[in-house]
Amino acid sequence: MYNFNFEDSKFDLDFLAVDSGSKKMLSSNTFYKIIVADDDKDVHTLTDMLFQDFDFENSPLQLIHTFSGKETIRAINAHEDTAVLLLDVVMEEMNSGIKVVEHIRQVQKNKFTRIVLRTGQPGYAPEESLIRDYDINDYKLKTEMTRQKLYTMMYSCLRSYRDLIQIETTKKSLEEMVKISGELFQKNSFDEFLDSIFQHIKLFQKYNYDFDKSIIEKRISNNGFIVASCANEFKIISASGKYKSYKNTSIEENIELQDIFAKISNCKHSNKNIVFTEKGFIFFNKGVQNSRTFVYIESKKENLDEALIQLLINNYVFALENYQLGDLLIKSQKDIIFTLSETIERHSNETSNHVKRVSLLMKFLASRYGLDKKECETLAISSVLHDIGKIGIPDSILKKPARLSADEFEIIKNHTTIGYDILRQNNHPHFEKAAQIAYCHHEKYDGSGYPRGLSKTNIPLYARMMAIIDVFDALVSKRCYKESYPINEVVDIMRNESGKHFDPILLNMFLEGIDEVKDIIYSHND
């Protein structure tokens, strides 16, 4: 057995009287892992005693004991978050410790764990190049290991480990910040915007030294909401977690949210764009057209790296401002498109509800087909322009309360090409899709349609969808030249046209959701 050099003036022996079972209980889930690698069991016992009351920045140590080089390699693989390794140079082999070091730095690529080599045999001291190239923190003879020197060494190693981790965490956070900046402007709704905040906040936690990801997950509860204010009204437009039931309500009406509301009301007097509350924080933008948006996130301040959170929020505030502007622009475009379409439909003796039904039915079918939310929303707007070409058809034909003659039918066919020529001039996604739909929505799956006689998948997907929706709505609606058909009868008529007029796969998707289709028809009836 090797005997430590305990200097009485520097080492209090009272710890020897303490029952080993009464070690300080961990008050939190954070601690520093220390691997003690030595083939001498007494060294482990004494190291346990020395460090049983040791803590660094209010975090205690967790000692992990190994007795050979191979066992140490297994332990370091299992505990990659080891802060310090107290490593005996000579164990089952003369160079066991060196093999462990090579594994950590070369194989595992672990540059964080601090390594202190120890030996009771001075003749086996490592070469200077090993200490330099493998980032060895210290090399000590066991004969010089007093309590004071052990504590000094441990504080130094832990500070170094903490700083290395913090540097790496900050580096990764900044890298993530760059990535986030590009992603923020791709959100399609305030719900997606709120969800992304929770995903990103988790990346900016203060470093958790036990690397337990489940603890970080528990710290972030996904509780939060977004408030839009306009003309002194504060409406919750998106909500998550325990606040989800508050969506589409006024924050002023909810007694449980009055403290947060008071903070939000006072935000306009703040020079900052982020205000911390007792349970979380609020950030907000400058506003667009007297409208302002506030985001509340529930998270304890002590869990957050405040400097990094401020950087993140600056990105979000900028994105929020642009999102509001974009949202306002999209809403304006949508209003213009719907107004134009309704005007054209009224001109041809159809109702504005036809436009609404077509929009909702297209969104419904696109969703059933599996298109993403953004594409479904775009199609819901684009589809209402399918008959814009009717603006070039004479009223005598459009409003004729009887069956059209062959010549008249040839004239009305032109509304597809007229619509296409109008819409194709604009390269905005809404108009590009609208042009495609307007041009081809009267093509038939068997090739007997117009204007080009396309068949099967040569007909654009969105036009094949529109063919189903346009015919279905025409059959269930009353027109100047016909009465409406019962929905059940319409379903039979359309099934008979599967593979002829309609794409059979799309038609089946549409009819499988007939209950939802009925809800759309009945709720927007003429």
Side-chain angles (χ1 to χ4, degrees), residues 420-497:
Y420 177 67
D421 288 338
I422 293 172
L423 295 168
R424 68 174 176 165
Q425 306 301 322
N426 193 309
N427 60 5
H428 188 282
H430 287 149
F431 291 99
E432 287 180 344
K433 290 177 173 60
Q436 189 183 87
I437 292 170
Y439 196 27
C440 300
H441 71 286
H442 282 293
E443 301 286 0
K444 294 183 180 181
Y445 197 74
D446 63 4
S448 63
Y450 66 87
R452 292 188 292 165
L454 300 178
S455 65
K456 298 185 179 179
T457 55
N458 289 321
I459 306 170
L461 171 64
Y462 304 148
R464 281 181 274 144
M465 290 178 172
M466 190 68 232
I468 294 169
I469 292 163
D470 195 34
V471 171
F472 185 90
D473 191 73
L475 289 172
V476 299
S477 302
K478 183 178 179 180
R479 298 285 170 88
C480 60
Y481 52 85
K482 70 170 215 36
E483 293 297 321
S484 63
Y485 287 81
I487 288 181
N488 291 341
E489 190 174 332
V490 171
V491 169
D492 291 337
I493 292 171
M494 295 191 71
R495 283 197 190 280
N496 288 333
E497 289 296 312

Coordinates of all heavy atoms in Angstrom, one line a residue, residues 420-497:
Y420 N -55.4 31.9 -68.3 CA -54.0 31.5 -68.3 C -53.2 32.7 -68.8 O -52.2 33.1 -68.1 CB -53.8 30.3 -69.2 CG -52.3 30.0 -69.4 CD1 -51.6 29.4 -68.3 CD2 -51.7 30.1 -70.6 CE1 -50.3 29.1 -68.4 CE2 -50.3 29.8 -70.7 CZ -49.6 29.2 -69.6 OH -48.3 28.9 -69.8
D421 N -53.6 33.4 -69.8 CA -52.9 34.6 -70.3 C -52.8 35.7 -69.3 O -51.9 36.4 -69.2 CB -53.5 35.1 -71.6 CG -53.2 34.1 -72.8 OD1 -52.2 33.3 -72.7 OD2 -54.0 34.1 -73.8
I422 N -53.9 35.9 -68.6 CA -54.0 36.9 -67.5 C -53.0 36.6 -66.4 O -52.2 37.5 -66.0 CB -55.4 37.1 -67.0 CG1 -56.3 37.7 -68.1 CG2 -55.4 38.0 -65.8 CD1 -57.8 37.7 -67.7
L423 N -53.1 35.4 -65.9 CA -52.4 35.0 -64.7 C -50.9 34.7 -64.9 O -50.1 34.9 -64.0 CB -53.0 33.8 -64.1 CG -54.5 34.0 -63.6 CD1 -55.1 32.7 -63.3 CD2 -54.5 34.9 -62.4
R424 N -50.5 34.2 -66.1 CA -49.1 33.8 -66.2 C -48.1 35.0 -66.3 O -46.9 34.8 -66.2 CB -49.0 33.0 -67.5 CG -49.2 33.8 -68.8 CD -48.9 32.9 -70.0 NE -49.1 33.6 -71.2 CZ -48.7 33.2 -72.4 NH1 -47.9 32.1 -72.5 NH2 -49.0 33.9 -73.5
Q425 N -48.6 36.2 -66.4 CA -47.8 37.4 -66.4 C -47.1 37.6 -65.1 O -46.1 38.3 -65.0 CB -48.6 38.6 -66.8 CG -49.4 38.5 -68.1 CD -48.5 38.2 -69.3 OE1 -47.4 38.7 -69.4 NE2 -49.0 37.3 -70.2
N426 N -47.6 37.1 -64.0 CA -47.1 37.3 -62.7 C -46.4 36.0 -62.2 O -47.0 34.9 -62.2 CB -48.2 37.7 -61.7 CG -47.7 38.2 -60.4 OD1 -46.9 37.6 -59.7 ND2 -48.3 39.4 -60.0
N427 N -45.1 36.2 -61.7 CA -44.4 35.0 -61.2 C -44.5 34.7 -59.7 O -43.8 33.9 -59.2 CB -42.9 35.1 -61.6 CG -42.2 36.3 -61.0 OD1 -42.8 37.0 -60.2 ND2 -41.0 36.5 -61.3
H428 N -45.5 35.4 -59.1 CA -45.7 35.1 -57.6 C -46.3 33.7 -57.5 O -47.1 33.2 -58.4 CB -46.7 36.1 -57.1 CG -46.9 36.0 -55.6 ND1 -47.7 35.0 -55.0 CD2 -46.4 36.7 -54.6 CE1 -47.7 35.2 -53.7 NE2 -46.9 36.2 -53.4
P429 N -45.9 32.9 -56.5 CA -46.4 31.5 -56.4 C -47.9 31.4 -56.5 O -48.4 30.4 -57.1 CB -45.9 31.1 -55.0 CG -44.7 31.9 -54.8 CD -45.0 33.2 -55.4
H430 N -48.7 32.3 -55.9 CA -50.1 32.2 -56.0 C -50.6 32.3 -57.4 O -51.5 31.5 -57.8 CB -50.8 33.4 -55.2 CG -50.7 33.3 -53.7 ND1 -50.6 34.3 -52.9 CD2 -50.6 32.2 -52.9 CE1 -50.5 33.9 -51.6 NE2 -50.5 32.6 -51.6
F431 N -50.0 33.2 -58.2 CA -50.5 33.3 -59.6 C -49.9 32.3 -60.5 O -50.6 31.9 -61.5 CB -50.1 34.7 -60.1 CG -50.8 35.8 -59.4 CD1 -50.3 36.5 -58.4 CD2 -52.1 36.1 -59.8 CE1 -51.0 37.6 -57.8 CE2 -52.9 37.2 -59.2 CZ -52.3 37.9 -58.1
E432 N -48.8 31.8 -60.2 CA -48.2 30.6 -61.0 C -49.1 29.4 -60.9 O -49.4 28.8 -61.9 CB -46.8 30.3 -60.5 CG -45.7 31.3 -60.9 CD -44.4 31.0 -60.4 OE1 -44.3 30.1 -59.5 OE2 -43.4 31.5 -60.9
K433 N -49.5 29.1 -59.7 CA -50.4 27.9 -59.5 C -51.8 28.2 -60.1 O -52.5 27.4 -60.6 CB -50.5 27.6 -58.0 CG -49.2 27.0 -57.5 CD -49.3 26.7 -56.0 CE -48.1 26.0 -55.5 NZ -46.8 26.8 -55.7
A434 N -52.3 29.5 -59.9 CA -53.6 29.9 -60.4 C -53.6 29.7 -61.9 O -54.6 29.3 -62.5 CB -53.9 31.3 -60.0
A435 N -52.5 30.1 -62.6 CA -52.5 30.1 -64.1 C -52.6 28.6 -64.5 O -53.3 28.3 -65.5 CB -51.2 30.7 -64.6
Q436 N -51.9 27.7 -63.8 CA -51.9 26.3 -64.1 C -53.3 25.7 -64.0 O -53.8 25.0 -64.8 CB -50.9 25.6 -63.2 CG -50.6 24.2 -63.5 CD -49.7 23.6 -62.4 OE1 -50.1 23.1 -61.4 NE2 -48.4 23.7 -62.7
I437 N -53.9 26.1 -62.9 CA -55.3 25.6 -62.6 C -56.3 26.1 -63.6 O -57.1 25.4 -64.1 CB -55.7 26.0 -61.2 CG1 -54.8 25.2 -60.1 CG2 -57.2 25.7 -60.9 CD1 -55.0 25.7 -58.7
A438 N -56.2 27.5 -63.9 CA -57.2 28.1 -64.8 C -57.1 27.5 -66.2 O -58.1 27.2 -66.9 CB -56.9 29.6 -64.9
Y439 N -55.9 27.1 -66.6 CA -55.6 26.6 -68.0 C -56.1 25.2 -68.1 O -56.7 24.8 -69.2 CB -54.1 26.7 -68.2 CG -53.7 26.6 -69.7 CD1 -54.6 26.9 -70.7 CD2 -52.4 26.1 -70.0 CE1 -54.2 26.8 -72.1 CE2 -52.0 26.0 -71.3 CZ -52.9 26.4 -72.4 OH -52.5 26.3 -73.7
C440 N -56.0 24.4 -67.1 CA -56.2 22.9 -67.3 C -57.3 22.3 -66.5 O -57.4 21.1 -66.5 CB -54.9 22.2 -66.9 SG -53.5 22.7 -68.0
H441 N -58.1 23.1 -65.8 CA -59.1 22.5 -64.9 C -60.3 21.9 -65.6 O -61.1 21.2 -65.0 CB -59.6 23.5 -63.8 CG -60.5 24.6 -64.3 ND1 -60.0 25.7 -65.0 CD2 -61.8 24.8 -64.2 CE1 -61.0 26.5 -65.3 NE2 -62.1 26.0 -64.8
H442 N -60.3 22.1 -67.0 CA -61.4 21.4 -67.8 C -60.8 20.3 -68.6 O -61.5 19.7 -69.4 CB -62.1 22.4 -68.7 CG -63.1 23.3 -67.9 ND1 -64.3 22.7 -67.4 CD2 -63.1 24.6 -67.6 CE1 -65.0 23.7 -66.8 NE2 -64.3 24.8 -66.9
E443 N -59.6 19.9 -68.4 CA -59.0 18.7 -69.0 C -59.6 17.5 -68.3 O -60.0 17.6 -67.1 CB -57.5 18.7 -68.8 CG -56.8 19.8 -69.5 CD -56.7 19.8 -71.0 OE1 -57.2 18.8 -71.6 OE2 -56.1 20.7 -71.6
K444 N -59.8 16.4 -69.0 CA -60.3 15.2 -68.4 C -59.3 14.1 -68.4 O -58.4 14.0 -69.3 CB -61.6 14.7 -69.2 CG -62.7 15.7 -69.1 CD -64.0 15.2 -69.9 CE -65.1 16.2 -69.8 NZ -66.3 15.7 -70.5
Y445 N -59.4 13.2 -67.4 CA -58.4 12.1 -67.2 C -58.3 11.2 -68.4 O -57.2 10.7 -68.7 CB -58.9 11.3 -66.0 CG -57.7 10.5 -65.4 CD1 -56.7 11.1 -64.7 CD2 -57.7 9.1 -65.6 CE1 -55.7 10.3 -64.1 CE2 -56.7 8.3 -65.0 CZ -55.7 8.9 -64.3 OH -54.7 8.2 -63.8
D446 N -59.4 11.1 -69.2 CA -59.3 10.2 -70.4 C -58.8 10.9 -71.6 O -58.8 10.3 -72.7 CB -60.6 9.5 -70.6 CG -61.7 10.4 -70.9 OD1 -61.5 11.7 -71.0 OD2 -62.9 10.0 -71.0
G447 N -58.5 12.2 -71.5 CA -58.0 13.0 -72.6 C -59.1 13.7 -73.5 O -58.8 14.3 -74.5
S448 N -60.3 13.6 -73.0 CA -61.4 14.2 -73.8 C -61.8 15.6 -73.5 O -62.8 16.2 -73.9 CB -62.7 13.3 -73.7 OG -63.1 13.3 -72.4
G449 N -61.0 16.2 -72.6 CA -61.3 17.6 -72.1 C -60.6 18.6 -73.0 O -60.2 18.4 -74.1
Y450 N -60.7 19.9 -72.5 CA -60.1 21.0 -73.3 C -59.3 21.9 -72.3 O -59.4 21.7 -71.1 CB -61.2 21.8 -74.0 CG -62.2 22.5 -73.0 CD1 -62.0 23.8 -72.5 CD2 -63.4 21.9 -72.6 CE1 -62.9 24.4 -71.7 CE2 -64.3 22.5 -71.8 CZ -64.0 23.8 -71.3 OH -64.9 24.4 -70.5
P451 N -58.4 22.7 -72.8 CA -58.2 23.2 -74.2 C -57.2 22.3 -75.0 O -57.2 22.4 -76.2 CB -57.7 24.6 -74.1 CG -56.9 24.6 -72.8 CD -57.7 23.6 -71.9
R452 N -56.4 21.5 -74.3 CA -55.4 20.8 -75.1 C -55.5 19.3 -75.2 O -54.7 18.6 -75.8 CB -54.0 21.1 -74.4 CG -53.6 22.5 -74.5 CD -52.2 22.7 -74.0 NE -52.1 22.6 -72.5 CZ -50.9 22.4 -71.8 NH1 -49.8 22.3 -72.5 NH2 -51.0 22.3 -70.5
G453 N -56.6 18.7 -74.6 CA -56.8 17.3 -74.6 C -55.8 16.5 -73.9 O -55.4 15.4 -74.3
L454 N -55.3 17.0 -72.8 CA -54.3 16.3 -71.9 C -55.0 15.1 -71.3 O -56.2 15.1 -71.0 CB -53.7 17.2 -70.9 CG -52.9 18.4 -71.4 CD1 -52.4 19.3 -70.3 CD2 -51.8 18.0 -72.3
S455 N -54.2 14.1 -70.9 CA -54.8 12.9 -70.2 C -53.9 12.5 -69.0 O -52.7 12.8 -68.9 CB -54.9 11.8 -71.1 OG -53.7 11.3 -71.6
K456 N -54.5 11.8 -68.1 CA -53.9 11.3 -66.9 C -52.9 12.3 -66.2 O -53.3 13.4 -66.0 CB -53.1 10.0 -67.3 CG -54.1 8.9 -67.8 CD -53.4 7.6 -68.1 CE -54.5 6.6 -68.6 NZ -53.9 5.3 -68.9
T457 N -51.7 11.8 -65.9 CA -50.8 12.7 -65.1 C -50.1 13.7 -66.0 O -49.3 14.5 -65.5 CB -49.7 11.8 -64.4 OG1 -49.0 11.0 -65.4 CG2 -50.3 10.9 -63.4
N458 N -50.4 13.8 -67.3 CA -50.0 14.9 -68.1 C -50.8 16.2 -67.7 O -50.3 17.3 -68.0 CB -50.2 14.6 -69.6 CG -49.2 13.6 -70.1 OD1 -48.0 13.6 -69.7 ND2 -49.6 12.7 -71.0
I459 N -51.9 16.0 -67.1 CA -52.7 17.1 -66.5 C -52.0 17.5 -65.2 O -51.8 16.6 -64.4 CB -54.2 16.7 -66.3 CG1 -54.8 16.1 -67.6 CG2 -55.0 17.9 -65.8 CD1 -56.1 15.5 -67.4
P460 N -51.7 18.7 -65.0 CA -51.1 19.1 -63.7 C -51.9 18.7 -62.5 O -53.2 18.7 -62.6 CB -51.0 20.7 -63.8 CG -51.0 20.9 -65.3 CD -51.9 19.9 -65.9
L461 N -51.3 18.3 -61.4 CA -51.9 17.8 -60.2 C -53.0 18.7 -59.7 O -54.1 18.3 -59.5 CB -50.9 17.5 -59.1 CG -51.4 17.2 -57.7 CD1 -52.2 15.9 -57.8 CD2 -50.3 17.2 -56.7
Y462 N -52.7 20.0 -59.6 CA -53.6 20.9 -59.0 C -54.9 21.1 -59.9 O -56.0 21.4 -59.4 CB -53.0 22.3 -58.7 CG -51.7 22.2 -57.9 CD1 -50.7 23.0 -58.0 CD2 -51.7 21.2 -56.9 CE1 -49.5 22.9 -57.2 CE2 -50.5 21.0 -56.1 CZ -49.5 21.9 -56.3 OH -48.3 21.8 -55.5
A463 N -54.7 21.0 -61.2 CA -55.8 21.1 -62.2 C -56.7 19.9 -62.0 O -57.9 19.9 -62.1 CB -55.3 21.2 -63.6
R464 N -56.1 18.7 -61.8 CA -56.9 17.5 -61.6 C -57.7 17.6 -60.3 O -58.9 17.1 -60.3 CB -56.0 16.2 -61.5 CG -55.5 15.7 -62.9 CD -54.6 14.5 -62.7 NE -53.2 14.9 -62.5 CZ -52.3 14.3 -61.7 NH1 -52.7 13.2 -61.0 NH2 -51.1 14.7 -61.6
M465 N -57.1 18.2 -59.3 CA -57.9 18.4 -58.1 C -59.0 19.4 -58.3 O -60.2 19.2 -57.9 CB -57.0 19.1 -57.0 CG -55.9 18.1 -56.5 SD -54.9 19.0 -55.3 CE -53.9 17.6 -54.6
M466 N -58.7 20.5 -59.1 CA -59.8 21.5 -59.3 C -60.9 20.9 -60.2 O -62.1 21.3 -60.0 CB -59.1 22.7 -60.1 CG -60.0 23.9 -60.2 SD -60.3 24.6 -58.6 CE -62.1 24.7 -58.6
A467 N -60.6 20.0 -61.1 CA -61.7 19.4 -61.9 C -62.7 18.7 -61.0 O -63.9 18.8 -61.2 CB -61.0 18.4 -62.8
I468 N -62.3 18.0 -60.0 CA -63.2 17.3 -59.1 C -64.0 18.3 -58.3 O -65.2 18.2 -58.2 CB -62.4 16.4 -58.1 CG1 -61.7 15.3 -58.9 CG2 -63.2 15.9 -57.0 CD1 -60.7 14.5 -58.1
I469 N -63.3 19.3 -57.7 CA -64.0 20.3 -56.9 C -65.0 21.2 -57.7 O -66.1 21.4 -57.2 CB -62.9 21.2 -56.2 CG1 -62.1 20.4 -55.2 CG2 -63.5 22.4 -55.5 CD1 -60.8 21.0 -54.8
D470 N -64.6 21.6 -58.9 CA -65.4 22.5 -59.7 C -66.7 21.8 -60.1 O -67.8 22.3 -60.0 CB -64.6 22.9 -60.9 CG -65.3 24.1 -61.6 OD1 -65.9 25.0 -60.9 OD2 -65.2 24.2 -62.8
V471 N -66.6 20.5 -60.5 CA -67.8 19.8 -60.9 C -68.7 19.4 -59.7 O -69.9 19.6 -59.8 CB -67.4 18.5 -61.7 CG1 -68.6 17.6 -61.9 CG2 -66.7 18.8 -63.0
F472 N -68.0 19.0 -58.6 CA -68.8 18.7 -57.4 C -69.6 19.9 -57.0 O -70.8 19.8 -56.7 CB -67.9 18.3 -56.3 CG -68.6 17.8 -55.1 CD1 -69.0 16.5 -54.9 CD2 -69.0 18.7 -54.1 CE1 -69.7 16.0 -53.8 CE2 -69.7 18.3 -53.0 CZ -70.0 16.9 -52.8
D473 N -69.0 21.1 -56.9 CA -69.7 22.3 -56.5 C -70.8 22.7 -57.5 O -71.9 23.1 -57.1 CB -68.7 23.4 -56.2 CG -69.4 24.6 -55.5 OD1 -69.7 24.4 -54.3 OD2 -69.6 25.6 -56.1
A474 N -70.5 22.5 -58.7 CA -71.5 22.9 -59.8 C -72.7 22.0 -59.6 O -73.9 22.5 -59.8 CB -70.9 22.7 -61.2
L475 N -72.5 20.7 -59.3 CA -73.7 19.8 -59.3 C -74.5 20.0 -58.0 O -75.7 19.9 -58.1 CB -73.2 18.3 -59.3 CG -72.6 17.8 -60.6 CD1 -72.0 16.5 -60.5 CD2 -73.7 17.8 -61.7
V476 N -73.9 20.3 -56.9 CA -74.6 20.5 -55.6 C -75.2 21.9 -55.5 O -76.0 22.2 -54.6 CB -73.8 20.2 -54.4 CG1 -73.3 18.8 -54.4 CG2 -72.6 21.2 -54.3
S477 N -74.9 22.8 -56.5 CA -75.3 24.2 -56.4 C -76.4 24.5 -57.4 O -76.4 23.9 -58.5 CB -74.2 25.2 -56.7 OG -73.1 25.0 -55.7
K478 N -77.3 25.4 -57.1 CA -78.3 25.8 -58.1 C -77.7 26.9 -59.0 O -77.1 27.8 -58.6 CB -79.5 26.4 -57.3 CG -80.7 26.9 -58.2 CD -81.8 27.4 -57.4 CE -83.0 27.8 -58.3 NZ -84.1 28.4 -57.5
R479 N -78.0 26.7 -60.3 CA -77.5 27.6 -61.3 C -78.7 28.2 -62.1 O -79.8 27.6 -62.0 CB -76.5 26.9 -62.2 CG -75.2 26.4 -61.5 CD -74.3 27.5 -61.1 NE -73.2 27.1 -60.2 CZ -72.1 26.6 -60.6 NH1 -71.8 26.4 -61.9 NH2 -71.1 26.3 -59.8
C480 N -78.4 29.2 -62.9 CA -79.5 29.8 -63.7 C -80.1 28.8 -64.7 O -81.2 29.0 -65.1 CB -79.0 31.0 -64.4 SG -77.6 30.7 -65.6
Y481 N -79.3 27.8 -65.0 CA -79.8 26.8 -66.0 C -80.2 25.4 -65.4 O -80.5 24.5 -66.2 CB -78.8 26.6 -67.1 CG -77.4 26.3 -66.6 CD1 -77.0 25.0 -66.3 CD2 -76.5 27.3 -66.3 CE1 -75.8 24.7 -65.8 CE2 -75.2 27.0 -65.9 CZ -74.9 25.7 -65.6 OH -73.6 25.4 -65.1
K482 N -80.1 25.3 -64.0 CA -80.4 24.0 -63.4 C -80.7 24.1 -62.0 O -80.3 25.1 -61.3 CB -79.2 23.0 -63.7 CG -78.0 23.4 -62.9 CD -77.0 22.2 -63.0 CE -76.2 22.0 -61.8 NZ -76.7 22.1 -60.4
E483 N -81.3 23.1 -61.4 CA -81.5 23.0 -60.0 C -80.3 22.2 -59.3 O -79.5 21.6 -60.1 CB -82.8 22.2 -59.7 CG -84.1 23.0 -60.1 CD -84.2 24.3 -59.3 OE1 -83.9 24.3 -58.1 OE2 -84.6 25.3 -59.9
S484 N -80.2 22.3 -58.0 CA -79.1 21.6 -57.4 C -79.4 20.1 -57.2 O -80.6 19.7 -57.2 CB -78.9 22.1 -56.0 OG -80.0 22.0 -55.2
Y485 N -78.4 19.2 -57.2 CA -78.6 17.8 -57.0 C -78.3 17.4 -55.5 O -77.4 18.1 -54.9 CB -77.6 17.0 -57.9 CG -77.9 17.0 -59.4 CD1 -77.6 18.1 -60.2 CD2 -78.5 15.9 -60.0 CE1 -77.9 18.1 -61.5 CE2 -78.8 15.9 -61.3 CZ -78.5 17.0 -62.1 OH -78.8 17.0 -63.4
P486 N -78.9 16.4 -55.0 CA -78.6 16.0 -53.6 C -77.2 15.4 -53.6 O -76.7 14.8 -54.6 CB -79.6 14.9 -53.4 CG -80.7 15.1 -54.4 CD -80.1 15.7 -55.6
I487 N -76.5 15.6 -52.5 CA -75.1 15.2 -52.4 C -74.9 13.8 -52.7 O -73.9 13.4 -53.4 CB -74.5 15.7 -51.0 CG1 -74.3 17.2 -51.0 CG2 -73.1 15.0 -50.8 CD1 -73.7 17.7 -49.7
N488 N -75.7 12.9 -52.1 CA -75.6 11.5 -52.3 C -75.7 11.1 -53.8 O -75.0 10.2 -54.3 CB -76.7 10.7 -51.5 CG -76.4 10.8 -50.0 OD1 -75.3 11.1 -49.6 ND2 -77.5 10.5 -49.2
E489 N -76.6 11.8 -54.5 CA -76.7 11.6 -56.0 C -75.4 12.0 -56.7 O -75.0 11.4 -57.6 CB -77.9 12.3 -56.5 CG -78.3 11.9 -57.9 CD -79.6 12.5 -58.4 OE1 -80.5 12.7 -57.5 OE2 -79.8 12.7 -59.6
V490 N -74.9 13.2 -56.2 CA -73.7 13.7 -56.9 C -72.5 12.7 -56.7 O -71.7 12.5 -57.6 CB -73.3 15.1 -56.2 CG1 -72.0 15.6 -56.7 CG2 -74.4 16.1 -56.6
V491 N -72.4 12.1 -55.5 CA -71.4 11.2 -55.2 C -71.4 10.0 -56.3 O -70.4 9.6 -56.8 CB -71.5 10.6 -53.8 CG1 -70.5 9.4 -53.6 CG2 -71.1 11.7 -52.8
D492 N -72.6 9.5 -56.5 CA -72.8 8.4 -57.5 C -72.4 8.9 -58.9 O -71.8 8.1 -59.6 CB -74.3 7.9 -57.5 CG -74.6 7.2 -56.2 OD1 -73.7 6.7 -55.5 OD2 -75.8 7.2 -55.8
I493 N -72.8 10.1 -59.3 CA -72.5 10.6 -60.6 C -71.0 10.7 -60.8 O -70.4 10.2 -61.8 CB -73.1 12.0 -60.8 CG1 -74.7 11.9 -60.9 CG2 -72.6 12.6 -62.1 CD1 -75.4 13.2 -60.9
M494 N -70.3 11.2 -59.8 CA -68.9 11.3 -59.9 C -68.1 10.0 -59.8 O -67.1 9.8 -60.5 CB -68.4 12.3 -58.8 CG -69.0 13.7 -58.9 SD -68.2 14.9 -57.9 CE -66.6 15.1 -58.6
R495 N -68.6 9.1 -59.1 CA -68.0 7.7 -59.1 C -68.0 7.1 -60.4 O -67.1 6.4 -60.9 CB -68.7 6.8 -58.0 CG -68.3 7.1 -56.6 CD -68.6 6.0 -55.7 NE -68.5 6.3 -54.3 CZ -67.3 6.4 -53.6 NH1 -66.2 6.1 -54.3 NH2 -67.3 6.7 -52.4
N496 N -69.1 7.3 -61.2 CA -69.2 6.8 -62.5 C -68.3 7.4 -63.5 O -68.0 6.9 -64.6 CB -70.7 7.0 -63.0 CG -71.7 6.1 -62.3 OD1 -71.3 5.0 -61.9 ND2 -72.9 6.5 -62.3
E497 N -67.7 8.6 -63.1 CA -66.8 9.3 -64.0 C -65.3 9.1 -63.6 O -64.4 9.7 -64.1 CB -67.1 10.8 -64.0 CG -68.4 11.2 -64.7 CD -68.2 10.9 -66.2 OE1 -67.2 11.3 -66.8 OE2 -69.2 10.3 -66.7

